[in-house]
Amino acid sequence: MLIHPQFNPVALDLTGLGLPIQVHWYGITYLVAFGLFLWLANLRVRQPWYANAGWTRRDTEDLLFFGVMGVVLGGRLGYVLFYKPEYYLQHPLEVLAVWKGGMAFHGGLLGVVVAMALFAHLRKRSFWQVTDLIAPCVPTGLASGRVGNFINGELWGRAADPSLPWAMVFPQAQDGVARHPSQVYQFLLEGMLLFAVLWWFGKKERPLGQVSALFLLGYGATRFVAEYFREPDGFLGLGALGLSRGQWLCVPMLVAGAALWWWSARRAKVQA
């Protein structure tokens, strides 16, 4: 079995030069995620159905700004409300202490939904056209975030058979147990696999809302599967039916994705 390499989480440290600057790998993965989003979104707006609708590079830059705000605010509030509401109710000022960690994807998703709704309203565009545009550009950012999790040796997996060739001991767990490198699983599933499927699907003009629906279904399914290999948060454990909090949060995504796909297909049939 393997041992986690114990990377230094600080990529650049200038404190030795008298400068109060430390650049963490996790922060770099966020920058990579935003850069990949901008690059891919610029490719998307060149597709005829978006170009003919007046989408430009300037729009993608504005989308990135709105998206970043949604990810940061929604991700933090989602963690507070979904994972530790009792703690933050007793320590409300710590909600602002983002440097201590604590972000939730499902909260970030809701934050992005609100941000995209605001963008669509201000630009007088269809909300589903906006989300269809950005959906294939999101998974690479998720993949980048999982790289950051692996570098930090956090969010490790559940116990694995030590004979599994890629089973890994995470010293941060302080138990010497061979575990699934669930960060790698999530990188491959909700990151690269979901990106490949959405990018392929989005290469053709699809009925309004269908690309967004596929994102909800695809992420909900891949995250649900990956959670079987990821160690649940110690303060939560497993919930009803032996499912983790992450899996339960995927259920409404799957339901919403199925409903949106049905609505999209029905709308396209009526308009045909």
Side-chain angles (χ1 to χ4, degrees):
M1 61 187 174
L2 307 175
I3 306 294
H4 183 266
Q6 295 293 277
F7 300 102
N8 185 343
V10 179
L12 179 65
D13 189 349
L14 300 181
T15 56
L17 301 177
L19 300 175
I21 298 175
Q22 282 189 331
V23 180
H24 289 249
W25 284 111
Y26 198 69
I28 292 176
T29 64
Y30 265 74
L31 292 178
V32 170
F34 297 146
L36 286 171
F37 174 89
L38 194 59
W39 175 55
L40 294 171
N42 283 329
L43 294 178
R44 291 278 287 162
V45 296
R46 295 177 190 173
Q47 293 173 315
W49 50 95
Y50 288 119
N52 293 339
W55 285 90
T56 66
R57 181 185 180 91
R58 177 63 181 273
D59 290 320
T60 65
E61 294 171 353
D62 292 342
L63 277 171
L64 177 61
F65 173 78
F66 277 78
V68 169
M69 294 299 102
V71 166
V72 174
L73 296 177
R76 182 58 175 172
L77 290 176
Y79 181 79
V80 169
L81 296 175
F82 298 155
Y83 290 91
K84 287 187 173 183
E86 297 86 359
Y87 175 83
Y88 287 104
L89 187 62
Q90 297 175 14
H91 307 84
L93 293 181
E94 291 200 27
V95 171
L96 304 176
V98 294
W99 57 89
K100 292 185 178 180
M103 298 284 281
F105 167 79
H106 296 90
L109 175 64
L110 292 175
V112 169
V113 167
V114 172
M116 294 304 101
L118 178 59
F119 176 91
H121 173 72
L122 294 175
R123 298 300 173 85
K124 294 180 172 54
R125 290 191 178 276
S126 162
F127 170 74
W128 295 120
Q129 185 183 60
V130 174
T131 57
D132 283 348
L133 169 64
I134 68 170
C137 310
V138 173
T140 52
L142 301 178
S144 182
R146 296 310 175 193
V147 171
N149 294 146
F150 184 77
I151 289 175
N152 287 346
E154 61 191 7
L155 304 183
W156 49 76
R158 303 187 193 190
D161 186 335
S163 65
L164 186 71
W166 54 85
M168 182 172 290
V169 173
F170 290 86
Q172 292 91 334
Q174 299 181 345
D175 55 13
V177 173
R179 298 177 177 276
H180 290 282
S182 57
Q183 312 97 323
V184 178
Y185 298 175
Q186 291 187 263
F187 167 85
L188 294 173
L189 289 173
E190 67 196 42
M192 304 314 297
L193 176 60
L194 183 58
F195 166 71
V197 170
L198 285 171
W199 195 259
W200 167 80
F201 189 75
K203 289 179 71 174
K204 294 182 180 180
E205 187 173 12
R206 304 291 180 177
L208 187 69
Q210 208 163 80
V211 179
S212 302
L214 185 59
F215 173 83
L216 292 172
L217 290 168
Y219 181 85
T222 54
R223 176 66 182 269
F224 192 93
V225 170
E227 284 282 328
Y228 279 116
F229 301 94
R230 176 172 162 174
E231 182 73 17
D233 292 304
F235 57 89
L236 289 175
L238 297 176
L241 303 179
L243 301 180
S244 68
R245 179 65 57 87
Q247 286 174 311
W248 277 114
L249 290 173
C250 285
V251 171
M253 286 188 69
L254 291 167
V255 172
L260 179 56
W261 186 280
W262 174 84
W263 173 84
S264 175
R266 184 171 179 273
R267 180 178 181 275
K269 185 177 181 179
V270 170
Q271 293 183 339

